[in-house]
Amino acid sequence: MPAGVIERQQTMRDFHALGGFPRVIGAIDGSRIPIKAPVDDEAIFVNRKKFHSMNIQVVCDANKRIINFNVSNPGSTHDSYIWSNCELRARFQRGEFGDGLLLGGNLQYKPSKCAKIIAACLLLHNRCILMNIPNPDDYEEDEVYMEPEERGHDGAQRVLGRQVRDLLVHNFF
């Protein structure tokens, strides 16, 4: 999410330039990601369309950069429940984003764009293997579901991450 007044104002200007949306600091949507049926609590992962999934909540900025996410909910969880119980909503209620708003609704990409996003994830997966970055299954459960801004990354890792991302974008998109 935009950090500070200056970044928040720039994000608002970006959304206004994009579609005339005033005061918007992010676009939010939920998506159900298909998964293998789990052994434990199998029923809570079945969504309204009758397949097993996780329900993720994602917020992006006007440049389609993901700025917040929540990946801790089974497929049967309604989007409104996720929003009502997430840390991001609590931050809005505390006034951390001033008069900023989130734009919600159906924010789907075209299939060609989805294919590029999926390809980027696959390439990042392989890059993580090459760099010996542990599989998320190897982390403790609490670590996996922390909000991105709560994670303690050092500056060198952040710079390396940006370099890898920029290289992938440059070479494949």
Side-chain angles (χ1 to χ4, degrees):
M1 296 301 300
V5 175
I6 294 171
E7 189 176 335
R8 187 170 60 239
Q9 289 173 343
Q10 181 59 51
T11 303
M12 288 180 184
R13 284 191 295 272
D14 292 345
F15 271 105
H16 193 269
L18 180 67
F21 303 113
R23 298 178 33 216
V24 173
I25 62 170
I28 185 170
D29 202 6
S31 183
R32 285 170 176 80
I33 307 300
I35 63 168
K36 178 181 173 184
V39 174
D40 297 328
D41 299 318
E42 180 267 341
I44 66 171
F45 291 90
V46 177
N47 64 41
R48 62 184 167 79
K49 294 186 177 182
K50 308 296 183 215
F51 65 89
H52 295 89
S53 65
M54 296 290 297
N55 191 356
I56 65 168
Q57 175 182 278
V58 178
V59 179
C60 67
D61 65 14
N63 298 308
K64 300 179 184 172
R65 184 177 63 99
I66 295 171
I67 56 176
N68 186 275
F69 60 87
N70 181 326
V71 296
S72 61
N73 294 281
S76 65
T77 311
H78 195 276
D79 290 352
S80 63
Y81 179 86
I82 295 171
W83 170 249
S84 295
N85 293 282
C86 72
E87 176 60 23
L88 182 59
R89 180 174 185 258
R91 293 176 65 196
F92 268 94
Q93 289 178 325
R94 288 192 299 266
E96 289 184 33
F97 304 111
D99 64 349
L101 303 172
L102 290 178
L103 178 65
N106 192 358
L107 303 172
Q108 298 177 3
Y109 292 115
K110 294 179 181 177
S112 61
K113 180 71 171 182
C114 288
K116 289 179 179 180
I117 293 169
I118 293 166
C121 291
L122 296 172
L123 292 168
L124 287 171
H125 167 82
N126 285 346
R127 182 70 178 175
C128 288
I129 290 172
L130 289 172
M131 297 183 71
N132 294 319
I133 296 172
N135 185 318
D137 293 341
D138 298 338
Y139 290 106
E140 293 295 320
E141 188 169 316
D142 289 342
E143 292 181 63
V144 174
Y145 300 124
M146 292 176 72
E147 295 290 333
E149 57 268 275
E150 295 174 10
R151 295 185 184 149
H153 294 297
D154 69 22
Q157 286 181 329
R158 195 172 300 138
V159 170
L160 178 61
R162 285 186 186 127
Q163 289 171 342
V164 170
R165 181 199 60 210
D166 292 344
L167 181 65
L168 288 169
V169 168
H170 175 75
N171 288 330
F172 297 99
F173 304 105

